[in-house]
Amino acid sequence: MYAAPARRDPVPAAPALDGSAACQDWQLSFPARKGHVARVRALFTRWLEGRREPTVPLSVAESAVLLLSELAANAVVHADCPTGSGLVCRAALAPATGPGASGGGLLRIEVHDQAEGERVPRPRYGDAEEESGRGLCIVAALAGEWGVRRSPLTRGNAVWATLPLPVEFGQ
């Protein structure tokens, strides 16, 4: 199985989550507690399903929900966040632009934590008997690209992943 490599980005990869007209954004802040991940997943699913122009194909939406869920759960469980801190989840749809753009666009998903220190999330390759610890391995397998950068929103980490959109998206 191929796993997309993680990148440590000083600058976000396109599409930028800047609220520009080229992007269609979604954002949600929530307390960094396990019980909130299911609600975030449900709200993100509703946003994806509500997309009309352009619509997000079901296969991409299912992968996106799984990516968001894994990134959020990983931040809740493993980030060294102060007690009572929160997370910010963001997503953006953007058509492919620029010279040589051949795809339909990208769906970019980010989870911003309030982790203290310089610890960077990394995939953990454990034993088959372990019941958890595969979240970033799932992210690496599903995403076109993924990586980690310092969050401009929380000053912790922003773990991001992209999914390619079909050519029909950009038309």
Side-chain angles (χ1 to χ4, degrees):
M1 175 192 318
Y2 171 77
R7 297 188 344 213
R8 179 74 176 180
D9 273 349
V11 177
L17 294 170
D18 60 6
S20 68
C23 292
Q24 298 180 30
D25 297 352
W26 174 83
Q27 181 170 312
L28 180 69
S29 299
F30 68 101
R33 292 195 296 270
K34 289 181 187 180
H36 292 279
V37 174
R39 178 153 169 72
V40 170
R41 185 173 48 242
L43 292 169
F44 184 55
T45 299
R46 188 175 316 148
W47 179 75
L48 288 168
E49 289 172 348
R51 305 286 333 129
R52 294 292 174 246
E53 283 297 321
T55 59
V56 176
L58 181 60
S59 61
V60 175
E62 289 173 344
S63 293
V65 170
L66 180 55
L67 283 172
L68 178 75
S69 181
E70 292 298 336
L71 292 176
N74 191 65
V76 166
V77 173
H78 299 292
D80 293 329
C81 296
T83 303
S85 66
L87 302 177
V88 178
C89 296
R90 300 177 83 187
L93 292 166
T97 59
S102 60
L106 288 175
L107 171 57
R108 181 181 170 98
I109 299 162
E110 296 180 350
V111 174
H112 299 250
D113 63 37
Q114 295 182 15
E116 297 174 334
E118 294 297 317
R119 196 170 123 196
V120 176
R122 299 188 192 289
R124 193 178 95 207
Y125 301 96
D127 296 331
E129 295 81 32
E130 291 184 43
E131 293 182 15
S132 66
R134 293 179 185 80
L136 289 179
C137 293
I138 293 169
V139 169
L142 283 176
E145 292 185 305
W146 76 280
V148 181
R149 65 184 175 97
R150 293 306 294 170
S151 171
L153 302 175
T154 63
R155 297 191 201 130
N157 290 312
V159 184
W160 59 269
T162 62
L163 289 170
L165 296 164
V167 173
E168 302 82 41
F169 176 83
Q171 298 175 346

